[in-house]
Amino acid sequence: MKLLFLPLLIFLLLGCVQDKKSKLRNDDKLLIYTTFENEQVSQYIQAFNAAYPNIQTEIIVDSHGVISAKILAEKNNPKADIIFGLSVFNMEQLKRENLLAPLIIENLSDFQELFRDSNNPPYYVGLSGVESAIIVNEKELKKQSLPIPKSYKDLTNPIYKGLITMSNPTSSGTGFLSVAGFITLFGENEAWEYMKALNQNIALYTHSGSKPARMALSGEYPIGISLGYRGHKMLVANQPITMIFADEGYGWDLECLALIQKDSIKPNAQTFIKWASSDEAMKLYAENNALTGIKQNTTPLGYLSNPYENLLAVDFVDFSKQRDRILKTWNTNFDIKSETK
């Protein structure tokens, strides 16, 4: 009987050891919630994995609104370890909800003041910045003998009726940074009047921030209010678009890094924070964005030579607090033209 049961006993013991090792590996794995574009996620996470091959990562990619809602829903039992690339407007809300842990950033003094939380130590830092840009299919406009718009006010000209798309700010971080830019530029009352005039020329409000750029490229709607990043990627691919940064200045947003507040924070999470805020990582962000937390001496294709010059003085904290009210007003006035899901 002993000889019969001995193999079974050894099998069960080995199974317990294996389960324990598996559990340890799962406990040590980093769960990262990110809102970076898929191609950026691949670039950045591959670089981290190459630098730290023994750290396992699990990545969940989604929009700013979805990731923020997910973190809020999990507040009593946090799942993620790291937030990577989330909009500053959403990050400020998470900070108010006490869902973020203070960061230890060794090179914090190198960060531009606009790219970090005002707390010391900060609860988040901006890794890169994204700005509102007008993506134009110049060939399609020429077919209709129309000029290239140079400013936001140009976009209200009736000659562009039905030719413009923009992302819906209730579902898109890109849409909200554009609206925040309009309000910063014109003042709130005049901004709503401006958006009503712009709405006369809008064909569609899309759910995706990149879709207006893709529609401009296809010629379906030759003018899209989108992101500088998306225009840059199109120009790198030698696609026939023109990218315009409005003469008046333009709205922008931060893509932020933060640590989820948990009872026990993994050492590997601190390692990721150190890597993601490093000079090495900044060089990667600078390949895609003209605005970076630590200034770089490069300007990616399509961006202005001095990208910081015309940035509007957007009050990220105040807009985060006013976000729900602003979106409710926007929906009341403009949602009828929104893309159906």
Side-chain angles (χ1 to χ4, degrees):
M1 290 294 289
K2 287 181 181 178
L3 290 174
L4 286 173
F5 281 105
L6 185 58
L8 178 60
L9 180 60
I10 292 172
F11 173 79
L12 291 173
L13 287 172
L14 286 175
C16 290
V17 170
Q18 187 62 39
D19 286 346
K20 186 173 287 187
K21 285 183 178 179
S22 177
K23 185 176 187 303
L24 284 171
R25 284 199 299 270
N26 289 333
D27 287 346
D28 208 35
K29 182 187 296 182
L30 282 183
L31 177 55
I32 300 171
Y33 288 175
T34 183
T35 55
F36 281 118
E37 299 282 343
N38 286 324
E39 61 264 37
Q40 291 173 295
V41 174
S42 177
Q43 179 187 9
Y44 301 158
I45 298 301
Q46 280 183 16
F48 173 73
N49 288 337
Y52 297 94
N54 295 325
I55 298 179
Q56 291 183 294
T57 55
E58 181 181 348
I59 313 299
I60 293 180
V61 185
D62 219 315
S63 68
H64 298 275
V66 170
I67 289 294
S68 185
K70 187 174 178 60
I71 294 167
L72 287 166
E74 295 169 355
K75 65 186 298 184
N76 294 324
N77 184 25
K79 301 289 193 301
D81 300 296
I82 300 288
I83 311 171
F84 189 42
L86 184 66
S87 162
V88 66
F89 301 114
N90 299 104
M91 203 67 88
E92 276 290 330
Q93 181 188 10
L94 299 180
K95 187 179 83 168
R96 291 196 299 273
E97 295 283 343
N98 298 315
L99 299 179
L100 307 180
L103 293 178
I104 299 171
I105 304 290
E106 293 180 359
N107 57 344
L108 184 61
S109 61
D110 294 335
F111 275 75
Q112 301 184 72
E113 188 175 350
L114 289 172
F115 281 73
R116 51 159 296 178
D117 173 26
S118 59
N119 292 83
N120 194 13
Y123 286 90
Y124 63 81
V125 291
L127 303 175
S128 48
V130 290
E131 58 283 88
S132 182
I134 303 167
I135 310 299
V136 176
N137 187 319
E138 190 173 350
K139 182 179 178 181
E140 289 299 318
L141 289 186
K142 282 183 177 178
K143 283 182 183 178
Q144 301 182 50
S145 301
L146 296 175
I148 296 176
K150 299 294 184 182
S151 68
Y152 287 131
K153 286 197 172 179
D154 284 351
L155 296 180
T156 64
N157 190 322
I159 62 175
Y160 299 120
K161 186 175 180 63
L163 301 180
I164 303 173
T165 61
M166 172 181 159
S167 53
N168 183 330
T170 63
S171 59
S172 164
T174 304
F176 188 75
L177 77 87
S178 296
V179 170
F182 298 150
I183 293 173
T184 301
L185 178 62
F186 300 118
E188 184 154 358
N189 290 335
E190 189 179 339
W192 289 117
E193 292 306 310
Y194 167 77
M195 284 186 272
K196 287 176 184 177
L198 176 64
N199 185 62
Q200 297 300 311
N201 291 342
I202 293 285
L204 183 70
Y205 294 103
T206 67
H207 288 295
S208 161
S210 296
K211 192 169 183 178
R214 294 197 298 269
M215 286 181 153
L217 175 64
S218 72
E220 185 177 0
Y221 301 107
I223 302 172
I225 302 174
S226 188
L227 280 179
Y229 168 74
R230 187 48 57 196
H232 158 71
K233 294 300 288 185
M234 288 179 169
L235 291 170
V236 168
N238 202 30
Q239 293 174 324
I241 61 99
T242 300
M243 181 157 66
I244 306 295
F245 293 99
D247 287 345
E248 306 100 326
Y250 37 87
W252 63 300
D253 192 0
L254 300 181
E255 298 174 312
C256 298
L257 172 71
L259 192 59
I260 295 282
Q261 181 69 270
K262 303 172 85 169
D263 292 338
S264 178
I265 293 175
K266 299 171 186 175
N268 286 346
Q270 301 286 7
T271 301
F272 187 87
I273 294 294
K274 180 179 179 180
W275 176 86
S277 58
S278 68
D279 291 336
E280 174 193 351
M282 285 294 154
K283 289 180 174 64
L284 296 179
Y285 310 141
E287 293 178 12
N288 299 310
N289 300 92
L291 310 173
T292 50
I294 301 173
K295 270 191 179 182
Q296 304 294 301
N297 295 320
T298 58
T299 302
L301 183 64
Y303 291 101
L304 299 177
S305 57
N306 185 356
Y308 297 91
E309 188 173 19
N310 284 341
L311 291 180
L312 294 172
V314 179
D315 188 332
F316 297 130
V317 176
D318 186 62
F319 274 107
S320 177
K321 292 176 181 176
Q322 302 296 327
R323 181 188 178 92
D324 289 346
R325 178 187 62 80
I326 291 169
L327 292 180
K328 183 177 180 181
T329 303
W330 190 92
N331 272 325
T332 299
N333 287 283
F334 309 120
D335 191 54
I336 192 170
K337 287 188 177 180
S338 287
E339 180 179 44
T340 55
K341 291 183 179 179

